[in-house]
Amino acid sequence: MPENFESFIQQHRDAFEEPGPSPRVWDALERELEGGRKGRIVSLMGRNWFKAAVIAVLLVNAAVLFYIAKHKQQQQDLAVVIPEMQDAKVYYSNRINEKLELINAYPASELGLDSAARQELQLRNDTYKTLENELKNNPGNQRIRGAMIRYYQLKLELLDKILEELQEKHATPSSHTKKQYEAEI
Amino acid sequence: MNQTPIDGNVIDRCKRGDVRAFRELYNAYAAAMYNICLRMTGNVSDAEDTLQEAFIQVHRNIGKLEREASVTAWIKRIVVNHCLNNLRKKKVYFEEVEEVEVAEEAGIDEDSFTWTVSAVKSAIHGLPQGYRTVLNLYLFEDYSHREIADMMGITESTVKTQYMRAKEKVRQIVKQQNLIR
């Protein structure tokens, strides 16, 4: 019976299939997933989470500093220079400050961070100030704007992670501050 | 395309970051998606690399997958797009061609030679990359000419012309293989 090309393919479709990929594809995939997986990071932090937090802070700063040159300083109001960035600043600053207050409610022994690391957790640290100055000097530079927003986001993610760890450890905020927050709620 | 059906909650578990669930998803689709990669790239090494990259993207984006969406079509589109992107990285350009009527070559009587799977596979493998891509997407992945045109960034008429030329070329190659035997 004569067959044309298309009908031949349809009739023998399965015969064109090869067996699946070699197991090394999943192995490589799994390694890649483990590397970026949330659960993996959490388990690492669970073992020595405060060190991980400090490293994360340093990485945040290094990543941000990579995009900027540390020079030029002018004291101008960001709101005047770039009004639209002011909205982002207010939004992120409020959220970051809320989380910082929650974290600061925990006693230092629970938090496990030294003073330098705690300083880095604050919003207006050296990296932030450098970025802000750069933005004032180069208000039209999209990379600096992007770096500023990314800085806010990374900071928020880090604070969330620390809070999550504290909750998993069933740590409790110090009673004074806890009462203060309960009153606010 | 054959793949093991996945349990309804596998996607939900994947969305929650469960790697074992993701492995179930991978196992269900790996073979079918690997075959797409193999046909598109033409070699095992590139096919496996592309498959891995595509599944990393599946993992990253699975949170965006809506429950009612077709998981198979979604994964397949990611895999095909990865294949096309990798071909572009290798400087394979899917060029526009003038729309011309491609006549079947006179004298090729399909009754006069035998189609075999290995002969067709070999003929398709020997096609120029652009023809092969169009032919594979249309014949094996069941995309329409319109969909292929959108994915490849060329016109629908170019897709049709390339498909006709690819098909004709396969017929010629298979016939030659018959004559050699």
Side-chain angles (χ1 to χ4, degrees):
Chain A
M1 182 179 167
E3 288 180 302
N4 69 32
F5 176 50
E6 278 139 342
S7 64
F8 176 81
I9 300 274
Q10 296 310 317
Q11 285 169 25
H12 301 84
R13 183 68 181 77
D14 288 346
F16 283 90
E17 296 290 300
E18 300 287 340
S22 69
R24 66 174 176 266
V25 177
W26 171 257
D27 293 342
L29 192 57
E30 191 175 31
R31 277 197 301 275
E32 186 107 8
L33 299 183
E34 293 282 343
R37 210 174 86 220
K38 191 176 176 185
R40 174 75 174 153
I41 293 168
V42 168
S43 69
L44 279 173
M45 290 179 78
R47 268 183 262 140
N48 218 341
W49 73 276
F50 59 91
K51 284 182 184 170
V54 174
I55 290 166
V57 169
L58 295 174
L59 285 175
V60 167
N61 290 349
V64 170
L65 286 169
F66 179 75
Y67 290 99
I68 58 171
K70 194 177 178 181
H71 59 90
K72 298 181 191 174
Q73 295 227 337
Q74 288 179 15
Q75 297 303 317
Q76 294 179 62
D77 186 0
L78 188 66
V80 175
V81 181
I82 322 162
E84 67 269 26
M85 281 298 290
Q86 181 64 11
D87 294 339
K89 179 185 174 180
V90 170
Y91 169 75
Y92 283 110
S93 298
N94 286 341
R95 291 193 61 197
I96 289 168
N97 284 331
E98 281 168 15
K99 291 182 191 306
L100 276 170
E101 282 179 13
L102 288 172
I103 287 171
N104 286 332
Y106 288 86
S109 56
E110 290 277 13
L111 202 53
L113 293 175
D114 61 26
S115 60
R118 291 180 75 117
Q119 184 80 31
E120 278 299 313
L121 287 181
Q122 299 302 314
L123 178 61
R124 290 190 59 80
N125 58 22
D126 289 343
T127 306
Y128 178 90
K129 287 171 188 167
T130 309
L131 265 178
E132 196 178 42
N133 284 331
E134 280 300 315
L135 197 56
K136 286 173 190 166
N137 296 335
N138 304 282
N141 189 317
Q142 290 298 329
R143 290 183 71 188
I144 299 175
R145 288 185 186 205
M148 192 82 184
I149 296 294
R150 189 66 192 130
Y151 173 85
Y152 285 131
Q153 291 170 339
L154 287 168
K155 181 76 77 179
L156 263 178
E157 284 170 18
L158 175 64
L159 296 175
D160 277 336
K161 183 67 70 184
I162 291 171
L163 279 168
E164 188 183 318
E165 287 291 320
L166 286 165
Q167 281 157 10
E168 278 179 11
K169 285 175 58 166
H170 306 295
T172 50
S174 63
S175 58
H176 170 73
T177 322
K178 189 178 176 185
K179 280 176 187 165
Q180 182 188 327
Y181 278 95
E182 282 171 353
E184 285 176 6
I185 293 165
Chain B
M1 193 187 317
N2 298 319
Q3 70 271 319
T4 315
I6 53 166
D7 184 63
N9 73 358
V10 169
I11 299 295
D12 288 338
R13 285 163 55 216
C14 286
K15 287 181 178 177
R16 292 197 295 268
D18 183 339
V19 173
R20 281 198 303 181
F22 192 71
R23 180 159 198 174
E24 285 181 47
L25 183 75
Y26 172 83
N27 287 340
Y29 287 98
M33 298 303 148
Y34 170 70
N35 271 279
I36 295 176
C37 295
L38 193 56
R39 279 191 286 268
M40 297 278 282
T41 62
N43 70 78
V44 170
S45 172
D46 286 347
E48 291 191 342
D49 285 349
T50 307
L51 184 73
Q52 187 194 334
E53 289 166 14
F55 266 92
I56 286 168
Q57 192 167 346
V58 168
H59 184 264
R60 281 184 189 147
N61 291 289
I62 199 146
K64 297 175 190 166
L65 178 65
E66 292 174 12
R67 181 176 285 275
E68 61 271 20
S70 160
V71 179
T72 306
W74 183 70
I75 294 176
K76 187 169 143 183
R77 183 56 73 99
I78 289 174
V79 169
V80 169
N81 282 338
H82 263 275
C83 291
L84 292 174
N85 286 338
N86 284 350
L87 290 176
R88 287 191 188 99
K89 280 182 201 163
K90 290 185 171 180
K91 308 292 182 197
V92 173
Y93 297 106
F94 305 115
E95 293 170 4
E96 295 287 350
V97 292
E98 286 180 27
E99 187 175 7
V100 290
E101 197 63 39
V102 181
E104 292 187 357
E105 186 186 314
I108 294 190
D109 176 7
E110 293 194 351
D111 292 354
S112 67
F113 61 92
T114 313
W115 294 103
T116 63
V117 170
S118 62
V120 173
K121 269 187 183 178
S122 165
I124 294 174
H125 191 260
L127 290 173
Q129 183 69 61
Y131 287 6
R132 193 171 77 210
T133 304
V134 168
L135 187 137
N136 279 328
L137 291 175
Y138 184 77
L139 267 187
F140 290 93
E141 315 315 336
D142 300 321
Y143 286 115
S144 69
H145 290 314
R146 175 77 262 159
E147 289 172 310
I148 296 168
D150 289 343
M151 284 190 285
M152 293 177 71
I154 53 180
T155 64
E156 192 174 349
S157 62
T158 296
V159 171
K160 286 179 182 168
T161 306
Q162 291 208 355
Y163 175 68
M164 292 300 291
R165 288 178 177 174
K167 202 168 72 166
E168 190 56 27
K169 192 97 178 151
V170 170
R171 281 155 49 89
Q172 289 170 9
I173 296 170
V174 172
K175 187 186 177 192
Q176 282 167 5
Q177 286 175 345
N178 271 241
L179 291 173
I180 292 166
R181 288 200 185 108

